[in-house]
Amino acid sequence: MALIRTEQRNDGATGLDEKSPDAVLRLLLEAQIDAAKAVSSELESIADAARIAAETIAGGGKLAYAAAGSSGLMALADALEIPGTYGIAPDKIVILLAGGIASLNRLAGTYEDDISQAAKDIADAGLAKGDCLIAVSASGTTPYALAAIEEAKKRGLRIISIANNRNVPIFNGADVTIALETPAEMVAGSTRMGAGTAQKIALNLLSTLMAVRLGHVHDGYMVNLVADNVKLRERAARIVSAVSSCDLNEAMKLLDASGGSVKSAILLAAGAQDTEKAARILESNQQRLRPSLSELKGILGSR
């Protein structure tokens, strides 16, 4: 049986265990860089995936991730960051990890082969038409991910599939396919390395572009963040200050007045009458700050 790319050994690994530590690290680093480059050919597909993800969230649907093992860790990291960074309600982000929390203590094992659990996880999450599933598998053949896709399709979900091999089962019937053709690993089969690096980059790009499309990023600032600790509250004030050109003390006052909403605070700084007016302007512009600022400017200019 021919080995798929993610199970092959990189030819550059010959004699790896005989080389100096510095030489080994250099080779490992170069392999990581080569893996990262594999993402560039899939930017169009990643953009399509981000569009679907944004449409899902904007329509009130849930964005779910399904994966196992190292791919599960990449999916988990992306999913956990979204609510705090971009203010998307936590109940709109679903993490389906083969083996659940228990697998985090031991990634290896039979979890990824449990197809009945995958179907149950989809059902238990209440996923249905209007939701979207992102399935991630380095090999593209992981039973848990494939079963999750099968159940998701039955329920009418849109499917985004990510793998590090082309022409693999995970792409069958997907709405968007992202084939990250990373080189063979320096340690054969250790997909936490090159394959995982490319997956993390692709997921970072996907979720960030999704947030941009939703209007949660303005001039490179996360204007929809949830400021639920001291560090983030200070960051929120800096964002309000930078976008509205007010000082930090004023930014803090505006954040207090807006109940912690960065977007509303910026509109208040720009001249919105009160928080209710700021909220109405944001609502009329689908929570996008730039058109909201333009609308407010027009209102103020007409007075």
Side-chain angles (χ1 to χ4, degrees):
M1 182 184 297
L3 286 177
I4 56 176
R5 182 190 299 264
T6 48
E7 289 296 327
Q8 295 173 358
R9 190 206 63 174
N10 192 309
D11 289 341
T14 300
L16 187 70
D17 51 296
E18 296 181 313
K19 299 182 183 299
S20 69
D22 182 71
V24 171
L25 292 177
R26 181 66 55 188
L27 287 168
L28 293 177
L29 176 59
E30 290 172 353
Q32 293 280 290
I33 293 171
D34 288 341
K37 292 176 181 177
V39 180
S40 62
S41 64
E42 293 298 292
L43 293 182
E44 185 175 343
S45 293
I46 293 170
D48 285 342
R51 173 182 54 80
I52 289 176
E55 290 172 353
T56 297
I57 296 297
K62 297 177 182 178
L63 183 65
Y65 293 70
S70 296
S71 296
L73 294 180
M74 299 303 103
L76 180 67
D78 195 64
L80 289 176
E81 291 279 3
I82 290 175
T85 305
Y86 299 121
I88 294 171
D91 63 356
K92 295 300 181 183
I93 305 297
V94 177
I95 304 168
L96 306 178
L97 185 63
I101 298 300
S103 71
L104 296 179
N105 290 321
R106 184 172 179 269
L107 283 178
T110 61
Y111 304 126
E112 68 177 52
D113 297 329
D114 195 340
I115 58 176
S116 61
Q117 187 62 49
K120 184 177 185 300
D121 287 347
I122 292 283
D124 289 348
L127 298 173
K129 188 174 181 179
D131 298 330
C132 174
L133 179 73
I134 300 176
V136 189
S137 165
S139 68
T141 62
T142 305
Y144 180 89
L146 298 182
I149 290 173
E150 183 178 354
E151 183 64 25
K153 287 168 64 177
K154 290 178 183 177
R155 293 169 174 265
L157 276 72
R158 300 175 83 175
I159 309 295
I160 297 167
S161 292
I162 302 175
N164 297 85
N165 293 292
R166 199 171 289 279
N167 300 320
V168 285
I170 198 173
F171 292 146
N172 295 340
D175 294 280
V176 176
T177 63
I178 300 173
L180 306 170
E181 294 186 280
T182 46
E185 301 285 1
M186 293 299 289
V187 178
S190 182
T191 53
R192 72 186 183 89
M193 300 177 74
T197 293
Q199 289 172 2
K200 184 67 170 69
I201 294 172
L203 288 167
N204 281 347
L205 299 181
L206 195 167
S207 56
T208 303
L209 180 55
M210 174 190 74
V212 171
R213 293 186 67 109
L214 288 169
H216 298 335
V217 177
H218 179 92
D219 283 344
Y221 292 110
M222 52 177 81
V223 290
N224 208 49
L225 88 164
V226 176
D228 55 4
N229 61 35
V230 172
K231 178 187 73 174
L232 293 180
R233 182 167 172 75
E234 291 175 350
R235 180 182 297 167
R238 289 195 299 272
I239 292 171
V240 173
S241 175
V243 175
S244 62
S245 299
C246 67
D247 63 38
L248 281 174
N249 287 334
E250 179 64 14
M252 281 290 191
K253 293 177 182 177
L254 293 171
L255 278 170
D256 287 338
S258 68
S261 168
V262 172
K263 292 177 183 177
S264 290
I266 291 170
L267 289 177
L268 289 174
Q273 182 178 354
D274 51 37
T275 55
E276 290 185 4
K277 182 62 175 178
R280 285 198 296 272
I281 292 174
L282 284 168
E283 182 66 26
S284 69
N285 289 285
Q286 296 78 49
Q287 301 301 315
R288 289 172 168 80
L289 182 58
R290 194 175 299 279
S292 294
L293 285 168
S294 295
E295 180 180 331
L296 177 60
K297 183 178 180 180
I299 293 171
L300 296 175
S302 65
R303 291 177 180 174

